Amino acid sequence: MSDSDIILNVHMDAAPGREQDLARELQALIAPTRNEPGCVAYELHRDPENPHKFMFYEKFKSQAALDEHVNAPYFKKFLDYR
C-alpha cells in the first residue's frame, strides 16, 4: 500500500423489496470500475444473513483516481438510481 492509496468501505441498505434491484445496479459498477487505471480493488459483498445489506471494499491509487471514478458516466448513472 502506498501513502497515496485511498481505501473506502462503503455500506448500503436496500429499501424493502428492492434488494434485487440494488444488487443488479451494484453489479453493473464492478467491471467498468475495475477497468479504471486508478482502481486497485473493487469488491462487492452481500450479508448472507441480511440480504438487504451490501458493502463495497474499494481501493484507488490516489484521490485523483477516486475523483475520476465518481465522475465516470456509469457511476453518475448509479447515483441517479432510485
Side-chain angles (χ1 to χ4, degrees):
M1 183 167 105
S2 81
D3 290 338
S4 63
D5 285 348
I6 304 294
I7 297 173
L8 303 169
N9 191 337
V10 180
H11 295 258
M12 287 169 259
D13 290 323
R18 302 284 310 270
E19 296 87 357
Q20 290 309 107
D21 294 336
L22 182 57
R24 184 180 59 252
E25 294 295 322
L26 295 175
Q27 287 286 338
L29 293 173
I30 295 172
T33 300
R34 287 181 177 168
N35 286 327
E36 294 173 9
C39 179
V40 176
Y42 199 72
E43 303 292 332
L44 177 62
H45 302 274
R46 190 171 187 177
D47 188 330
E49 295 179 18
N50 295 303
H52 66 279
K53 293 184 178 281
F54 297 85
M55 188 273 291
F56 263 119
Y57 170 80
E58 306 176 20
K59 184 174 180 182
F60 293 90
K61 291 180 180 179
S62 65
Q63 182 62 52
L66 176 58
D67 293 345
E68 189 173 310
H69 168 66
V70 299
N71 286 302
Y74 47 87
F75 190 78
K76 287 185 173 187
K77 180 182 176 220
F78 169 73
L79 294 178
D80 288 339
Y81 165 75
R82 300 225 194 287

